[in-house]
Amino acid sequence: MSSPEIASLSWGQMKVQGSTKIYKDCKVWPGGSRAWDWRETGTEHSPGVQPADVEEVVEKGVQILVIGQGMSEALKVPPSTVEYLKKKGIDVRVLQTEQAVKEYNALVTQGLRVGGVFHSTC
């Protein structure tokens, strides 16, 4: 099962291949995607992305996880989250969201088991 490509990105809106939904923030993995609701884990821009935010994607068996920090990189990614992923054997890429989407889509076209969590505003 392959990871769906991000079909489009603009401020506050993301579309994922194979889904009719428009996401503000989203999680993607081989075979699926869904909205990333920060309220589920109490996520805020700082301290930022926590292991609980990425756990669902990790459980889908990804080799690489791309994290989009927002258009202005307002969403922090603490070292503890990066370490959590590395301990699971996952290569993690933390980028500004437009760059993150390009990187993610490039990895998808290479046929890798890639997942992502993306913030589409600040």
Side-chain angles (χ1 to χ4, degrees):
M1 198 171 296
S2 63
S3 300
E5 286 191 38
I6 305 295
S8 68
L9 168 68
S10 60
W11 185 273
Q13 294 189 345
M14 297 185 75
K15 291 182 184 176
V16 176
Q17 185 181 42
S19 175
T20 58
K21 296 179 179 161
I22 296 174
Y23 301 118
K24 176 178 171 268
D25 299 319
C26 71
K27 297 182 179 188
V28 290
W29 58 83
S33 66
R34 76 170 182 91
W36 177 16
D37 184 349
W38 292 15
R39 293 172 294 191
E40 292 172 358
T41 56
T43 299
E44 295 181 358
H45 286 100
S46 184
V49 182
Q50 302 299 308
D53 294 307
V54 297
E55 186 175 20
E56 175 182 13
V57 178
V58 168
E59 290 173 353
K60 304 294 184 182
V62 299
Q63 301 166 305
I64 303 168
L65 182 76
V66 180
I67 300 174
Q69 294 184 275
M71 300 299 207
S72 303
E73 299 178 272
L75 179 61
K76 305 300 179 206
V77 181
S80 58
T81 300
V82 173
E83 284 304 311
Y84 164 80
L85 292 164
K86 286 182 176 178
K87 284 181 181 172
K88 298 271 187 186
I90 296 168
D91 180 9
V92 60
R93 319 260 170 108
V94 178
L95 301 161
Q96 183 267 357
T97 295
E98 290 162 310
Q99 294 303 313
V101 166
K102 286 178 187 172
E103 177 76 3
Y104 170 85
N105 281 345
L107 294 165
V108 168
T109 61
Q110 293 173 35
L112 298 171
R113 291 189 60 81
V114 60
V117 293
F118 301 97
H119 178 45
S120 73
T121 57
C122 53

